[in-house]
Amino acid sequence: MDTIVAISTSTASASGIGVIRLSGPKAKEIAQRCFFSSEKKIQSHRVYYGRFVDVNEHVLDDGLMVFMKSPKSFTGEDLVEISLHGNPLILSQAVETLIVRGARLARPGEFSERAFLSGKLDLMQVEAIAQLIASGSSEEARQARRRLDGKSSLLITQLMEKTTHLLAQLEADIDFPEEDIDPDVEDQLLQKCQELMDLSKTLLSSYAHIQKLSSGYHVLIAGLPNAGKSTLFNALLGSERAIVTDIAGTTRDTLEEEIWIEGRNIRLIDSAGYAPQTQDPIEKQGISRMEDKLKHVDLLCWICDVSDPDFEAAHKIFASVPPHRRWWIWSKTDLPSPLPPKPDLELDHVLGLSAKSGQGLEAFRQDLQKRFSTQVQDIEGGGIANDRQKNLLEAFYQSCFQTSQSIARHDSPELIAFELRQGYRNLQDMLGQDIDMEKVYDEIFSTFCVGK
Ligand SMILES: Nc1nc2c(ncn2[C@@H]2O[C@H](COP(=O)(O)OP(=O)(O)O)[C@@H](O)[C@H]2O)c(=O)[nH]1
Ligand SMILES: [Mg+2]
């Protein structure tokens, strides 16, 4: 097995420190040909200060080195981490030196691949590393961390155990092919299939939420012209992103910005005022864009000026959004106004605020946070997190469904077991057991960057 080397920190710009990783049987030996510490004997899991000397015997930099003896390391092999100053030039010179001294440059994802091959991580955990590093919100990172800890893998392992159990029961019957399955046993088998299907359904439903955590929850701010949409949009962003005037039709396009509320990533969309009768071609386009957005948003916040209430437009717009996805927001509550009538519409939530004075804004933020946090609470484990995992789990679900159909049809136990065994393969593939390494490399590791 080669000893591989790469820079594991970002090389896009300079930083305080940068870390180089070496993994393989000769990691320590090669490191000690370049990194010199006053301590002669390097022990495992200890930090040593020293100097890094390049091929021309010049001191390149000083820094720290840690040696982690196999199997107690990320890759499961002997592993060395050297931290030097984070200048990409210094780091790449150090890597070149280590290559001259006997290491080979790592391929993208090769450290993770070795962790996988040595059984330190399963495939879902490997995928979680990439997701953890790429997380755009703290909630997304938290879920990826749970997957990396093996929480989702455990659920898959439990599904595998239950499937094995069912298979054993079927296989017991295979020995008596001439007898029909006892009706009581048949009921039991069907129940077990149903349980497997229910468990995979629950896990599958986490996918949409996990995707939301990375793409963000889309919140559309809509309403009549001059309702105060852009003022609210700016207040939530904390910047004057959208132009605010008292001239109706100021916002003609949709504007999108990201905000974070309690670790959740929310995409706020400000839209053109809803004025279906407008003759202005630009405003018309703006409105049709807003209507397009309506179909995909997670929440519609309809802004209605409390000092000038109007319900007609809302009735039209609301027809295309289910009730649990629409909120009614009375704006400009700082203005003197009669107590507004309750809108004659089925709504999820009604609240009042003044984007100008700030009154009610914090409550609105909290409502948004609550609204979206309930959606992720029920992700057990860490859910499933990419198309590969989803497709395999769906295939497993289908196999369980076919198995139950097959049982109900009184097919031969062999046939029934065959179907279920196919399903079992899908679970194995999720974790990367008995898998074709070349295919896995192309699909997964090659998408990583070097050093991971
Ligand atoms: N008094 C008061 N005026 C507001 C408030 N929000 C917006 N406005 C005013 O209402 C007008 C229209 O605001 P704007 O945000 O451009 O509305 P939009 O057309 O819905 O985007 C501007 O003159 C704002 O200053 C508010 O909370 N209180
Ligand atoms: Mg506007």
Side-chain angles (χ1 to χ4, degrees):
M1 186 70 99
D2 291 346
T3 296
I4 53 171
V5 65
I7 303 171
S8 283
T9 42
S10 162
T11 48
S13 62
S15 55
I17 60 164
V19 176
I20 293 165
R21 261 203 302 216
L22 273 159
S23 181
K26 289 194 171 158
K28 183 171 145 191
E29 193 184 319
I30 295 171
Q32 283 191 292
R33 289 178 194 152
C34 316
F35 189 91
F36 299 94
S37 146
S38 57
E39 305 272 342
K40 282 287 147 299
K41 189 153 169 37
I42 300 290
Q43 289 178 293
S44 182
H45 294 84
R46 295 269 183 284
V47 182
Y48 295 91
Y49 170 78
R51 284 165 186 268
F52 195 102
V53 174
D54 71 10
V55 274
N56 303 314
E57 305 292 328
H58 295 144
V59 173
L60 186 64
D61 199 3
D62 64 347
L64 299 175
M65 173 175 124
V66 186
F67 164 57
M68 285 158 270
K69 189 158 177 47
S70 160
K72 285 173 72 180
S73 73
F74 170 64
T75 53
E77 304 176 322
D78 278 2
L79 186 101
V80 171
E81 283 185 10
I82 300 172
S83 35
L84 302 174
H85 290 101
N87 177 339
L89 283 174
I90 294 179
L91 296 171
S92 47
Q93 268 177 279
V95 166
E96 278 167 31
T97 309
L98 289 160
I99 291 172
V100 173
R101 299 295 182 225
R104 161 171 79 68
L105 187 65
R107 285 181 294 158
E110 199 169 1
F111 290 95
S112 307
E113 185 185 1
R114 289 192 174 192
F116 170 70
L117 289 173
S118 66
K120 283 262 156 184
L121 300 175
D122 63 48
L123 216 47
M124 286 179 83
Q125 289 175 305
V126 165
E127 287 169 316
I129 297 180
Q131 289 151 352
L132 180 67
I133 294 172
S135 291
S137 70
S138 54
E139 185 56 36
E140 190 188 357
R142 206 169 69 86
Q143 296 294 346
R145 185 61 247 182
R146 296 174 78 175
R147 288 193 295 281
L148 182 50
D149 286 337
K151 299 275 198 298
S152 302
S153 312
L154 182 65
L155 294 177
I156 300 302
T157 312
Q158 286 166 352
L159 272 182
M160 286 170 81
E161 279 165 8
K162 286 183 194 294
T163 310
T164 313
H165 216 83
L166 185 52
L167 272 170
Q169 206 167 349
L170 284 166
E171 264 147 26
D173 287 322
I174 292 177
D175 297 337
F176 307 99
E178 62 287 349
E179 290 172 30
D180 264 354
I181 298 179
D182 178 326
D184 280 351
V185 176
E186 182 180 318
D187 271 355
Q188 263 183 32
L189 294 176
L190 284 173
Q191 247 176 37
K192 284 190 179 160
C193 276
Q194 191 57 48
E195 191 195 353
L196 290 174
M197 278 153 70
D198 291 346
L199 287 171
S200 20
K201 257 271 135 63
T202 311
L203 199 51
L204 276 168
S205 68
S206 67
Y207 187 48
H209 295 320
I210 297 270
Q211 274 189 315
K212 273 285 157 218
L213 285 178
S214 72
S215 66
Y217 295 95
H218 289 60
V219 174
L220 178 67
I221 301 177
L224 293 182
N226 266 345
K229 300 178 292 300
S230 298
T231 310
L232 174 62
F233 179 74
N234 288 343
L236 289 169
L237 289 181
S239 77
E240 301 302 307
R241 171 75 174 81
I243 300 171
V244 170
T245 71
D246 53 5
I247 304 163
T250 306
T251 313
R252 288 151 164 251
D253 203 348
T254 48
L255 296 178
E256 272 191 52
E257 288 292 335
E258 229 169 20
I259 57 167
W260 278 267
I261 299 181
E262 297 285 325
R264 258 167 215 86
N265 168 2
I266 293 179
R267 289 202 74 83
L268 270 188
I269 308 159
D270 184 20
S271 63
Y274 190 63
Q277 320 74 349
T278 185
Q279 293 308 316
D280 180 331
I282 302 177
E283 219 181 339
K284 265 190 178 163
Q285 267 211 31
I287 292 167
S288 94
R289 282 190 188 186
M290 186 273 277
E291 287 170 338
D292 267 355
K293 293 274 176 201
L294 263 186
K295 297 176 200 135
H296 310 291
V297 292
D298 298 291
L299 186 64
L300 161 69
C301 290
W302 183 262
I303 316 295
C304 185
D305 185 340
V306 78
S307 65
D308 185 16
D310 176 291
F311 299 110
E312 203 187 315
H315 269 285
K316 269 197 201 123
I317 288 288
F318 279 23
S320 51
V321 183
H324 69 279
R325 279 207 267 134
R326 52 204 200 195
W327 283 7
W328 187 275
I329 298 178
W330 291 114
S331 64
K332 311 193 190 181
T333 53
D334 58 300
L335 293 178
S337 63
L339 199 63
K342 193 175 173 322
D344 171 28
L345 289 157
E346 196 185 333
L347 297 165
D348 192 31
H349 195 50
V350 180
L351 70 157
L353 56 83
S354 161
K356 209 167 219 175
S357 75
Q359 178 225 338
L361 260 187
E362 196 41 46
F364 176 51
R365 271 201 199 90
Q366 282 173 14
D367 290 352
L368 278 178
Q369 189 251 322
K370 262 189 244 146
R371 164 70 203 250
F372 295 125
S373 63
T374 50
Q375 306 205 337
V376 280
Q377 261 165 15
D378 48 356
I379 299 180
E380 242 192 289
I384 50 164
N386 60 26
D387 282 348
R388 188 191 76 89
Q389 296 169 11
K390 186 194 85 164
N391 293 339
L392 287 168
L393 194 54
E394 268 174 355
F396 172 71
Y397 176 89
Q398 276 307 323
S399 287
C400 295
F401 177 71
Q402 296 301 344
T403 305
S404 63
Q405 300 269 304
S406 192
I407 295 170
R409 270 198 311 265
H410 301 274
D411 285 345
S412 74
E414 266 123 339
L415 200 63
I416 304 173
F418 177 78
E419 187 60 54
L420 195 58
R421 245 181 257 122
Q422 299 277 85
Y424 187 80
R425 280 280 327 154
N426 291 308
L427 297 180
Q428 283 187 306
D429 281 356
M430 282 182 88
L431 298 181
Q433 297 177 353
D434 276 337
I435 207 162
D436 173 1
M437 258 330 275
E438 218 160 293
K439 202 172 131 235
V440 179
Y441 185 80
D442 289 346
E443 235 180 85
I444 296 164
F445 296 103
S446 62
T447 63
F448 279 39
C449 33
V450 177
K452 253 196 245 163

